[in-house]
Amino acid sequence: MIKSAVTALFLSTAMLAAPAMAQDAAAPAGQPAAPAGQAAAGQPAAPALTPEQVEAQNKAIADFTAAQQAQAAGNHAEVIAKLEPALPTIREIASRDPANIQNAGFLASALTITANSQGALGKIDAIPPLYSEAAPQWTKVYQADKANAGVRNTLVAILVNLGNFSLTQQDKTAAKPHFEQALAIAKEGRATDPANADLANAEFSSLIGLNQATGEASYLEAAKPVGTELREKGIVSAANKPAVDAILGAA
């Protein structure tokens, strides 16, 4: 079987920024109104927030913004210091209305930024639980706006990482659905954006992952033309290069 560069894949997601929508998820300071995206007309309005909830919410938003700035500056320890205490509040915000896409994006962004900073600090084992929690939130956001390339690429990268982590734990059953979802999203994206290098690499990674998870040769055969395309276009990612060379021969 082809070995996956799991550590490299985890760290490769560090450049994925949280979408701006996450910062607009909650009510402005001092206004205990329902979050943006509340129930449509004819449906019960979300209950007003208590002053304590408003204060906690505003602090979580401020800490999230500070964490984004710290990440941009490469200060990953500060990211963790700001976001880890804020996560319980952000989870509570998202839980108020599971259908609220902005709040789902807020939680997904916070979890992803935390995970990527943990990875940058070398704490690889801290990444999978955070990614596992973020993936269904990103899926909600993606399904609501499939044209958002940033959300799509973030979700695919997380799914591939989760699949590879499961493979390192010899849990092929857990790996398979992550790779299947990543493959479906990558193919869907490439149908409208065929030149996207990230999606092409994600399609290849997903096929290789499915081959490892299932042992089915058909996935390996499907990966070969994708690997050839990556090589011919000069867009093979560093994480995928060993697998491309293994199935196509060294360039």
Side-chain angles (χ1 to χ4, degrees):
M1 291 194 301
I2 299 167
K3 304 276 285 185
S4 297
V6 178
T7 299
L9 283 170
F10 277 134
L11 296 183
S12 72
T13 63
M15 76 291 192
L16 298 172
M21 61 171 287
Q23 298 178 59
D24 301 324
Q31 296 182 22
Q38 65 182 32
Q43 296 181 351
L49 304 181
T50 67
E52 292 76 15
Q53 285 177 309
V54 172
E55 182 179 0
Q57 182 168 279
N58 289 338
K59 186 177 188 308
I61 295 170
D63 287 343
F64 176 85
T65 301
Q68 285 186 308
Q69 295 168 347
Q71 186 185 50
N75 189 345
H76 297 288
E78 181 66 10
V79 172
I80 303 304
K82 288 293 184 182
L83 275 185
E84 282 198 333
L87 280 176
T89 298
I90 299 173
R91 289 185 178 105
E92 191 274 326
I93 291 170
S95 71
R96 293 173 194 161
D97 179 5
N100 187 304
I101 300 303
Q102 285 184 312
N103 290 347
F106 188 17
L107 176 56
S109 299
L111 291 165
T112 303
I113 291 173
T114 303
N116 292 342
S117 286
Q118 292 283 23
L121 294 171
K123 299 178 181 178
I124 302 302
D125 289 343
I127 297 174
L130 293 163
Y131 275 3
S132 293
E133 187 180 356
Q137 303 299 327
W138 280 128
T139 298
K140 289 181 188 178
V141 179
Y142 169 71
Q143 290 174 343
D145 184 10
K146 292 189 175 182
N148 189 321
V151 169
R152 181 186 62 205
N153 292 351
T154 298
L155 175 57
V156 169
I158 285 173
L159 291 168
V160 170
N161 280 315
L162 286 172
N164 279 322
F165 178 78
S166 293
L167 288 179
T168 66
Q169 304 301 303
Q170 303 301 312
D171 191 346
K172 296 180 180 181
T173 300
K176 185 172 180 281
H178 293 308
F179 289 127
E180 287 176 334
Q181 186 182 357
L183 179 62
I185 294 171
K187 284 187 171 181
E188 187 173 47
R190 294 196 76 197
T192 57
D193 188 5
N196 189 297
D198 290 331
L199 291 177
N201 276 282
E203 182 177 358
F204 180 83
S205 299
S206 300
L207 288 166
I208 294 298
L210 282 168
N211 170 253
Q212 294 181 65
T214 66
E216 293 181 16
S218 60
Y219 290 120
L220 188 59
E221 290 303 310
K224 289 179 180 178
V226 182
T228 299
E229 177 188 357
L230 294 175
R231 180 179 282 180
E232 289 178 348
K233 292 181 177 179
I235 57 173
V236 182
S237 69
N240 278 335
K241 188 177 186 306
V244 170
D245 289 346
I247 67 172
L248 298 179

